[in-house]
Amino acid sequence: MTKRLGLIHTSATLVDVFAKLCAEHLPGVETFNIVDDSLIKNTIAAGHLTPQTARRVAGHIGSAEAAGADHILVTCSSIGAAVEAAEPLTGVPVTRVDRPMADRAVALGRRIGVLATLSTTLEPTADLVRRRAAASHRDVLLTARVCEGAFEALMGGDAATHDVRVAEALVSLGGEVDVIVLAQASMARVAGTVEAPVPILASPPLAMEHLAAAL
C-alpha cells in the first residue's frame, strides 16, 4: 500500500518548500498538509509555547493520524516541545523537523552554533541539541544567536533583506564554531548561498533524508 505522510506547518510559505523536497526524496509517498499559522503567531505573542497552543498542536497531530497518515512531520521548530509531548499519544511515528539536524550537528563537532531569526525558536532548538548530545554521550559547547530583524523582514515581504541578514550572521558565526544549525526551516534557502568555513545544516533536507529511510 502507498504510504501517506502528513505535514503540519505553521506557515503557508513552507508548503511548497516541503512539496519539492517530498517529490525529490519521497517519490512514492502520498502527502497532505495541515496549515495553522495561529500556532506560531500565538507563540511569538506570548514569547513562549503556551499550554493552550501545545494542546492545539497535539490536536493537529491527532487529526493527521485520523486522516490516515503513516508518519507525521511537524515543520516548525518553535513548537517542538509540543510535538514531543504528543508523540506517546500517537499511534504512528511523529518527527519534529529539527531532530535529524540536531543529531547530525552533534556528530559533526563539539562547538555548535545555533542561528535563529526568532527568539521563540532559538531556545527550543538549542535545548534539543543539548539533549541529543547528552543522549549520544557527547560534550558540546553551544553558541546561540538571534538574527535580529530578519524574520520581520520576511513576514513583511522583504525576503531579500531576510536573506542578507541571515547570510551575514552565518559568515560571522562560522568563524567561532565547528558546525552551524539553522533553527528555522524558513532559513534553509540561504544555506546554499553562503561560503562559510564550517558545515551549515538546514532542517528540511535532513528531515527528508530521515523520512526516506523510515517510510
Side-chain angles (χ1 to χ4, degrees):
M1 292 180 62
T2 301
K3 296 286 187 177
R4 300 190 77 198
L5 173 67
L7 298 101
I8 299 174
H9 311 281
T10 60
S11 172
T13 62
L14 292 176
V15 173
D16 287 344
V17 171
F18 280 91
K20 292 175 182 177
L21 287 168
C22 286
E24 177 183 352
H25 293 275
L26 308 171
V29 176
E30 182 182 334
T31 64
F32 65 88
N33 300 280
I34 296 174
V35 182
D36 183 353
D37 62 359
S38 74
L39 298 173
I40 190 63
K41 289 179 178 179
N42 292 349
T43 300
I44 294 170
H48 62 279
L49 177 66
T50 66
Q52 294 85 354
T53 299
R55 285 195 294 271
R56 294 181 56 234
V57 171
H60 286 316
I61 290 173
S63 294
E65 181 183 7
D70 296 295
H71 200 119
I72 299 166
L73 174 67
V74 183
T75 65
C76 176
S77 301
S78 290
I79 58 174
V83 177
E84 293 186 4
E87 284 184 79
L89 309 176
T90 310
V92 298
V94 182
T95 297
R96 60 177 284 180
V97 69
D98 49 355
R99 186 184 295 146
M101 177 180 66
D103 289 339
R104 182 70 60 86
V106 168
L108 285 177
R110 178 176 180 270
R111 299 180 304 160
I112 300 175
V114 181
L115 185 66
T117 61
L118 277 173
S119 58
T120 52
T121 310
L122 188 67
E123 181 50 37
T125 300
D127 174 68
L128 176 66
V129 173
R130 292 188 195 100
R131 289 188 288 112
R132 300 306 285 180
S136 298
H137 306 289
R138 292 179 180 268
D139 180 30
V140 298
L141 178 64
L142 259 61
T143 301
R145 290 183 185 166
V146 174
C147 188
E148 299 289 351
F151 182 80
E152 292 77 10
L154 185 63
M155 292 299 99
D158 188 358
T161 294
H162 166 274
D163 293 357
V164 167
R165 293 190 177 183
V166 171
E168 290 173 346
L170 284 170
V171 172
S172 174
L173 186 56
E176 304 175 28
V177 297
D178 302 317
V179 58
I180 299 172
V181 300
L182 300 178
Q184 287 144 259
S186 57
M187 304 167 72
R189 69 174 183 272
V190 186
T193 68
V194 176
E195 290 188 13
V198 298
I200 300 172
L201 305 183
S203 59
L206 293 174
M208 283 296 125
E209 289 178 14
H210 169 78
L211 292 172
L215 286 169

